[in-house]
Amino acid sequence: MSGNFNFQHTNTALLSVKSVEAPVVVSSPEFDERLAPSLKRLRLSKGLLERVAGVSERRWWAPGTSFEDGAIEAGAKAMAEAGVEPSQIGLLINTSVTRRNLEPSVAVKIHHNLGLPSSALNFDLANACLGFVNGITMASNMIESGQIDYALIVAGEDSQGVQEATFGRLNREDSTRQDYLREFATLTLGSGAAAAVIGRAADHPGSHRILGGVSRAGTEHHELCVGSEGGMYTDTKGLLEGGLELVVTAWHEAQANGWDWQGMDRYVTHQVSNSYTNAIIKAVDLDRERVPITFPRWGNVGPASLPMTLAQESKTLTPGDRVLCMGVGSGLNTTMMEIAW
């Protein structure tokens, strides 16, 4: 399979990672009530979101608050935590899937509202749920090449619009059980935001070293999960099988390239559902106790999901801990990145 990529970093560090929870909690039973007409007509039972996906609730932004506002708040918190001034940022990468328009980039509003200097390069990097980790890799390369001193990576997601549209479609009289299954993953999405500051390790003794990892592409699966502003459509069985094959192949390739990830202190995965998490744990023999789970209360928050989980775990990680960030994104692509805490 083509698309192999092995990368190493020698002088970059994660200086901070912060998250922002959207404040409006929406439970899966509430979703069942919104879909009650179609569930009854299609003879589907309530509680599938909790029983099958393991998602009990997710969050929406408050009225008048946007996903960009969440990303801006997370970015400000990350810079404050890192002790880095906006004037020091040389690169802003927005990795959000959510966007309101094709142009300009989402990054420009975030750049402006955070008061970043005109010298700070800013753009969107879109790679489904892998965008945030890809942004860290790109920023690390630019830091080690001497182009910039600090980078800010952000992601803000808003699931409400696409879920409201999905309710409307599934409650139509002509909707089918197949329609429900194809759009089921949409109902597991959530809203939230995250941000991280990346800097030069030599300038910040005791910071969290970004060591590198592997990426692998399986783009023959590019039609298994397709999303737009109107909805997200998935082949859940094909997505699980293709994603697992990709993860297992990348895992063994990493071992061949000298990475030893069998005894990590924490495995921070992209948060999707029970079935995906259980399958990955089994496929590469992870210690379940070292795999934090956040999707039951946040849902799948796209590219913000992994850094939000990492931000939560940062409260209990100690110096010397080894952390592996693992994700699979629509397309399909996978990346695994080690951080020495």
Side-chain angles (χ1 to χ4, degrees), residues 228-301:
S228 67
E229 291 183 359
M232 186 172 76
Y233 306 91
T234 60
D235 173 349
T236 53
K237 182 175 183 292
L239 202 59
L240 178 58
E241 292 175 351
L244 277 181
E245 178 186 3
L246 198 60
V247 166
V248 171
T249 304
W251 180 272
H252 291 304
E253 178 182 303
Q255 290 183 322
N257 281 278
W259 298 101
D260 179 12
W261 292 331
Q262 202 59 62
M264 306 298 286
D265 295 287
R266 214 68 52 92
Y267 298 93
V268 180
T269 64
H270 170 57
Q271 302 287 309
V272 182
S273 67
N274 275 332
S275 58
Y276 283 85
T277 302
N278 292 337
I280 288 175
I281 288 173
K282 181 178 180 181
V284 292
D285 193 25
L286 302 182
D287 182 345
R288 183 178 294 273
E289 296 299 318
R290 301 183 183 188
V291 183
I293 304 298
T294 56
F295 62 78
R297 58 191 173 89
W298 289 341
N300 176 356
V301 201

Side-chain angles (χ1 to χ4, degrees), residues 163-179:
Q163 287 170 334
E164 295 277 10
T166 300
F167 293 149
R169 278 192 302 277
L170 294 183
N171 278 329
R172 290 191 315 221
E173 288 296 322
D174 60 349
S175 69
T176 66
R177 290 172 71 100
Q178 185 62 30
D179 291 332

Side-chain angles (χ1 to χ4, degrees), residues 67-68 71 91-111 120-128 130-132 134-135 138 152-157 303:
F67 70 97
E68 297 109 324
L91 170 69
L92 166 70
I93 303 179
N94 166 64
T95 64
S96 309
V97 169
T98 304
R99 60 189 313 109
R100 300 193 187 283
N101 36 257
L102 292 177
E103 59 177 322
S105 69
V106 176
V108 295
K109 178 178 179 179
I110 299 170
H111 180 282
L121 184 66
N122 62 95
F123 54 82
D124 292 351
L125 188 161
N127 194 22
L130 274 187
F132 202 96
N134 294 154
M138 179 174 288
L152 177 63
I153 319 298
V154 302
E157 300 301 332

